[in-house]
Amino acid sequence: MDATLVTGGAGFVGLNLTEALLARGGHVVVFGREAALPGAAPARFARLPGRLEVIAGDVNDASALRAVFAGRRIGAVFPFAAVTAGPEREAADPHGVLDVNLHGLIRTLEAARDAGTVRRVVLPASAAVYGESAYSHAVLDEATTPAVPVSLYGVTKYAVERAGLRLCAHWGLDAVAARIGACFGPWERDTGLRDTLSPHLALATAARAGREAVLPPGLRLSYDWVYVRDLVAGLLALLDAPAPPHRVVNLASGEDFAPRLDACLGVLAARFRGFRWRDAAAGEAATIRVSEARPRGVMAIARAAAFGWRPRFAPVAAYEDYVGWLLASADQGLG
Ligand SMILES: NC(=O)c1ccc[n+]([C@@H]2O[C@H](COP(=O)([O-])OP(=O)(O)OC[C@H]3O[C@@H](n4cnc5c(N)ncnc54)[C@H](O)[C@@H]3O)[C@@H](O)[C@H]2O)c1
């Protein structure tokens, strides 16, 4: 069976994707900065039917990538290694962001091209490609909403999509770009390379510690959060589609999470003693951080539906599932 290469496979999305691929019996090659998967992921993944290889390396090391393709037959690639830079990092180290997100991606595609065995590439674009448009469009549509990325990260993600599709077309690689919505859920952790950790992780951390969470006003604003298990099901739909009906596809919930926030926090409070929450008073520092201060449109999901995918976890169901995972993780030191 052909293997699936996941660069950045020890990161948040990569771990969930790897777990899902292994669960369906796949052979997964994780390539990234980490020499091993974190926490109890190795033990958990060992119980799944698939086969896992973890290879430490840098996506800018062309010979290391060549060796990955030379050592096994790889049929699919998720080139997901990335630096999700916030304002400080992008100002301090713009080259570092471009090196990984864009040049590292191109090096991965070159190795895939040379291997000649790859039948599908799923490119990791992002909701960040909408940038400024997210604040002036109620619905962010792949075809009609202008991409106006603002952050350097968003600019690189747009380049991942455009340059990735262009080069794949030149090189005979069949590619689909996923505009991945902001996600939350199992396996999220600080890799040191993502400056915009989700507020859901901070809320879960406060809940586990039995602490009060003081919410910033930004958490009450319209925002489309996708549960990572839904996201991964969408990524697999893009991987499996024999004839993709679209080449650029939003993967998101298509819904505003904010109206369900209190119900979700109630799910945390029901399972973690001592957890409570309140809105920050005027001038008070919140204990939960969000990067947004303006309401955003939600992402259209009609194109994704054409791949046979739709999100299955409404916000409260997502929180219930996440809490179940957190409790299992706490028992086993996974989190
Ligand atoms: N998390 C989200 O909400 C979100 C939203 C949109 C798009 N995405 C995209 O999904 C992908 C995964 O993001 P994530 O949230 O899991 O990030 P993450 O920070 O959790 O993981 C990033 C991974 O990339 C690897 N990496 C970084 N630099 C590398 C290098 N030079 N060589 C090899 N590996 C390297 C790291 O080792 C890590 O495993 C990224 O392409 C990101 O842009 C994520």
Side-chain angles (χ1 to χ4, degrees):
M1 179 207 307
D2 287 355
T4 299
L5 172 64
V6 184
T7 73
F12 169 34
V13 174
L15 281 171
N16 283 281
L17 180 60
T18 296
E19 184 174 35
L21 288 163
L22 292 171
R24 64 182 205 176
H27 173 188
V28 186
V29 182
V30 165
F31 180 87
R33 289 191 172 173
E34 300 86 350
L37 300 189
R44 274 205 171 183
F45 292 4
R47 293 200 292 268
L48 299 172
R51 174 175 168 219
L52 174 66
E53 294 180 87
V54 180
I55 300 173
D58 194 297
V59 285
N60 276 304
D61 182 344
S63 63
L65 284 166
R66 251 196 318 275
V68 169
F69 282 92
R72 67 278 303 147
R73 191 183 153 89
I74 291 177
V77 180
F78 290 86
F80 274 30
V83 176
T84 309
E88 290 82 16
R89 193 193 300 253
E90 69 179 14
D93 184 21
H95 296 290
V97 181
L98 268 87
D99 281 349
V100 177
N101 296 9
L102 186 55
H103 300 300
L105 175 106
I106 293 173
R107 290 212 165 78
T108 309
L109 296 180
E110 285 171 328
R113 171 199 64 194
D114 295 346
T117 54
V118 174
R119 61 159 191 85
R120 177 67 41 83
V121 176
V122 180
L123 298 162
S126 166
V129 307
Y130 291 108
E132 198 54 36
S133 284
Y135 308 112
S136 53
H137 291 69
V139 176
L140 309 179
D141 180 89
E142 299 93 328
T144 59
T145 306
V148 191
V150 176
S151 66
L152 204 54
Y153 169 77
V155 171
T156 63
K157 289 285 118 178
Y158 196 42
V160 160
E161 175 186 310
R162 303 323 302 169
L165 289 171
R166 181 75 173 167
L167 292 173
C168 284
H170 281 317
W171 297 341
L173 293 166
D174 186 314
V176 182
R179 289 185 176 176
I180 297 171
C183 61
F184 72 98
W187 299 119
E188 184 174 11
R189 69 195 168 92
D190 187 359
T191 53
L193 297 169
R194 193 155 62 91
D195 300 328
T196 53
L197 295 167
S198 83
H200 307 280
L201 176 62
L203 289 162
T205 305
R208 276 175 148 176
R211 283 200 309 265
E212 178 182 69
V214 181
L215 311 184
L219 208 50
R220 300 280 177 195
L221 299 174
S222 167
Y223 203 97
D224 182 333
W225 286 104
V226 63
Y227 190 49
V228 72
R229 295 199 199 280
D230 275 334
L231 167 65
V232 162
L235 292 170
L236 295 182
L238 303 194
L239 170 68
D240 294 339
H246 303 283
R247 296 290 164 178
V248 175
V249 187
N250 287 343
L251 290 179
S253 77
E255 277 184 33
D256 175 12
F257 185 92
R260 306 300 295 151
L261 175 65
D262 291 296
C264 290
L265 297 182
V267 172
L268 281 181
R271 302 303 291 271
F272 294 102
R273 190 195 303 265
F275 174 71
R276 63 212 177 279
W277 73 96
R278 64 179 172 82
D279 291 322
E284 182 186 15
T287 60
I288 305 297
R289 284 181 40 197
V290 289
S291 49
E292 296 290 344
R294 290 180 286 168
R296 295 171 56 93
V298 299
M299 289 165 78
I301 54 172
R303 278 195 178 187
F307 285 78
W309 174 83
R310 64 176 178 80
R312 305 186 66 80
F313 290 88
V316 170
Y319 256 65
E320 279 163 355
D321 188 79
Y322 188 24
V323 163
W325 185 87
L326 289 167
L327 291 169
S329 304
D331 288 347
Q332 300 167 42
L334 301 177

